[in-house]
Amino acid sequence: MKTNSEIIGEYLDLLFPNPRCELIYHNDYELLMAIVLSAQTTDKRVNSVTPILFSRYSSLNALKNADLADLEGILRPIGSFRKKALYLKEIATILNDQYGGVVPTDRDVLSTFPGVGRKTINVFLSEFYHVPAIGVDTHVERISKRLKLASSKDDVLKVEKKLMKKFPKEDWGKRHLQFVLFGRYYCKAIKPECLNCKLINICSEKKKNIRS
Ligand code: SF4
């Protein structure tokens, strides 16, 4: 008999056989910065500002010396733009001055960067270096709880640890992307697509959503 995580994994493989990160980037620092910018907003919005950002400031040195007000103006559509503009300038300065322009892969080092937390590190390492990791963003947390892979009271770290136990290590990166896409297009926060969902029998939300 299959476990729930096996059933979930098979369904996600069916829906998203080749999941891809939807953030647009061309190198390591553009990816790291795009993930930082994606906090509290959508990848689509981030993708609407990063082409302007990285063409106007086409190197770490240019970003380090960018005019803060101009950066804020570019980032305005994504929200928290003052804070995010500062983060980008500071990250560019650190990478340019201390790391030869290369984003370090050491988690302890990365966690000292402004605006960079555990989720950002996991997403970056998994996407750029294929390091096995599960970044728990709002979609991953919501789906894990709805599908009873985690408890409703778990914080994001607990959710991450539980997911790491329930899925094979070689699938962590793929599962992260699939959970994000499933949350973005099917199991949305409001009005999820429950009637067509093959996971309805193992989901804690089904009754609520089907009645509404
Ligand atoms: S039944 Fe609805 S809430 Fe549950 S996993 Fe499927 S889409 Fe999400």
Side-chain angles (χ1 to χ4, degrees):
M1 191 163 156
K2 286 178 189 166
T3 62
N4 282 354
S5 44
E6 285 170 337
I7 294 168
I8 292 163
E10 282 179 11
Y11 186 50
L12 293 176
D13 284 341
L14 200 70
L15 290 178
F16 310 105
N18 294 300
R20 294 273 179 270
C21 171
E22 293 188 326
L23 288 169
I24 298 169
Y25 64 94
H26 302 94
N27 57 43
D28 56 353
Y29 77 79
E30 285 191 12
L31 174 62
L32 181 70
M33 290 183 181
I35 301 168
V36 169
L37 294 178
S38 71
Q40 318 296 328
T41 190
T42 61
D43 286 5
K44 206 172 163 187
R45 282 223 170 133
V46 174
N47 290 339
S48 75
V49 301
T50 45
I52 305 163
L53 174 73
F54 294 127
S55 63
R56 192 172 303 175
Y57 299 101
S58 59
S59 68
L60 284 169
N61 194 49
L63 272 167
K64 168 189 160 180
N65 294 306
D67 176 70
L68 193 57
D70 188 52
L71 271 191
E72 288 174 357
I74 296 170
L75 301 180
R76 186 178 282 268
I78 62 172
S80 305
F81 60 92
R82 290 198 178 90
K83 192 171 66 178
K84 289 177 179 175
L86 267 180
Y87 287 162
L88 293 203
K89 257 179 89 76
E90 288 172 11
I91 291 171
T93 305
I94 295 169
L95 289 176
N96 188 71
D97 297 356
Q98 297 176 39
Y99 294 98
V102 178
V103 179
T105 54
D106 186 303
R107 285 175 171 277
D108 293 337
V109 172
L110 280 170
S111 66
T112 65
F113 284 27
V116 175
R118 189 176 176 91
K119 183 212 76 176
T120 299
I121 294 171
N122 283 350
V123 175
F124 174 77
L125 292 177
S126 167
E127 171 67 15
F128 204 80
Y129 289 110
H130 307 294
V131 172
I134 301 179
V136 179
D137 69 357
T138 179
H139 297 301
V140 178
E141 181 181 4
R142 180 178 71 253
I143 292 161
S144 301
K145 291 179 178 179
R146 283 178 173 176
L147 292 174
K148 296 183 261 186
L149 295 167
S151 145
S152 59
K153 290 183 187 139
D154 288 344
D155 59 20
V156 286
L157 186 58
K158 266 196 184 155
V159 173
E160 182 187 325
K161 301 273 182 214
K162 286 185 176 175
L163 292 177
M164 287 162 76
K165 277 199 186 140
K166 289 182 192 288
F167 293 105
K169 195 171 184 177
E170 63 270 22
D171 288 345
W172 290 351
K174 177 176 78 167
R175 294 291 177 239
H176 158 76
L177 289 168
Q178 289 173 327
F179 271 58
V180 170
L181 295 171
F182 186 52
R184 199 170 282 162
Y185 300 111
Y186 293 86
C187 188
K188 295 170 272 190
I190 300 165
K191 294 197 181 164
E193 314 276 338
C194 301
L195 276 175
N196 299 316
C197 181
K198 299 273 188 293
L199 302 177
I200 199 157
N201 289 328
I202 54 177
C203 179
S204 61
E205 291 274 309
K206 60 185 177 193
K207 286 181 188 154
K208 193 162 76 184
N209 289 317
I210 281 176
R211 268 203 303 264
S212 61

